[in-house]
Amino acid sequence: MCVRTVFSDVVAERTTLRYEADLLDEAGAVLGPSDLSTLTLTIYALDAARTVVNGVDRVNVLNVGRGSFDPTTKRFRLTLQPADNQLVTNATEETHVLLLEWTWAAGAKAGRHEIEIRVRNLDRV
């Protein structure tokens, strides 16, 4: 798994967004929910202050809230709420980073991945 995935499409502000990925161990094997000790999400804007969006700062997503796993493939699904894609500036467009952090082997091993999205300011939202 690469360190950062960049969405090619622009996301409209305050819309629901779904992201799917395999969470991998150091050997490249897919980790499922029963393998993981923790899985958290942080959303922040790529502004000078790295402003946290919607209070999502190391929020548990291990099969709760925004996170779920496909029971057959172990593929992780992240579903962002509309408030997770709100703008923190008055810019026409801003970049947000979704930081996933997970641990396994009783917390002895860790993985991290960033997803970069561009959020578009809509005039009438």
Side-chain angles (χ1 to χ4, degrees), residues 39-91:
L39 175 58
T40 62
L41 170 68
T42 299
I43 304 173
Y44 62 91
L46 266 184
D47 59 358
R50 301 301 192 254
T51 305
V52 171
V53 178
N54 194 29
V56 181
D57 191 3
R58 291 194 170 103
V59 171
N60 180 19
V61 290
L62 183 52
N63 262 344
V64 295
R66 297 165 178 85
S68 65
F69 284 83
D70 182 291
T72 305
T73 64
K74 297 190 209 178
R75 191 163 182 82
F76 176 66
R77 297 176 182 147
L78 177 68
T79 304
L80 296 185
Q81 302 165 0
D84 296 337
N85 289 322
Q86 65 185 339
L87 296 172
V88 298
T89 67
N90 289 326

Side-chain angles (χ1 to χ4, degrees), residues 17-56:
L17 173 68
R18 186 168 175 177
Y19 176 78
E20 294 189 17
D22 292 324
L23 303 181
L24 306 176
D25 68 11
E26 73 280 13
V30 177
L31 295 167
S34 62
D35 303 312
L36 298 173
S37 304
T38 63
L39 175 58
T40 62
L41 170 68
T42 299
I43 304 173
Y44 62 91
L46 266 184
D47 59 358
R50 301 301 192 254
T51 305
V52 171
V53 178
N54 194 29
V56 181

Side-chain angles (χ1 to χ4, degrees), residues 10-13 85 87 92-94 96 117-121:
V10 176
V11 176
E13 71 173 309
N85 289 322
L87 296 172
T92 302
E93 188 175 287
E94 67 185 31
H96 290 181
I117 61 173
R118 292 177 298 145
V119 181
R120 177 77 177 177
N121 187 345

